[in-house]
Amino acid sequence: MSDPPVIGDLERRRLRWRARRGMLENDLIVSRFLDREGDGLDAAEIVALEALLDLPDNELIDLLLGRKDPQDALDNNAVRDLLRRMRAT
């Protein structure tokens, strides 16, 4: 028997909705990441992703493209690992 999904269908749809950004580049990177890894995100990764999605578009794209490093509350292992994986998308 297969393991149940880490996040439910409602949570997955909510994350996808939040991933729809005003900046196409952010939308593409985050959507592709969710297509590839969204079903397997654990609770800490979901919290990290939600923190990233709370950022303004310009700040998010700077982090996604590696032009800036996470600062303050975003400077933690969960966010850094998530960004690394999103950049590989």
Side-chain angles (χ1 to χ4, degrees):
M1 192 168 193
S2 65
D3 293 332
V6 176
I7 62 173
D9 187 52
L10 180 63
E11 179 74 9
R12 186 176 15 265
R13 284 185 286 152
R14 189 178 68 77
L15 281 173
R16 286 199 174 278
W17 179 255
R18 288 196 64 206
R20 297 176 64 169
R21 308 296 297 207
M23 186 180 288
L24 178 62
E25 293 86 349
N26 286 339
D27 189 27
L28 292 173
I29 293 170
V30 176
S31 293
R32 286 180 183 164
F33 172 76
L34 289 173
D35 288 344
R36 193 180 77 217
E37 297 192 32
D39 291 344
L41 294 176
D42 64 26
E45 293 165 331
I46 291 169
V47 169
L49 180 57
E50 288 177 337
L52 289 172
L53 293 176
D54 285 340
L55 295 172
D57 283 337
N58 289 331
E59 290 180 34
L60 179 58
I61 196 67
D62 285 343
L63 291 172
L64 291 173
L65 296 179
R67 294 189 288 213
K68 292 187 178 178
D69 291 322
Q71 301 292 315
D72 303 322
L74 293 177
D75 190 9
N76 60 64
N77 290 337
V79 170
R80 288 185 178 277
D81 182 58
L82 195 65
L83 285 169
R84 179 188 54 76
R85 290 165 40 209
M86 292 172 90
R87 290 173 185 147
T89 300

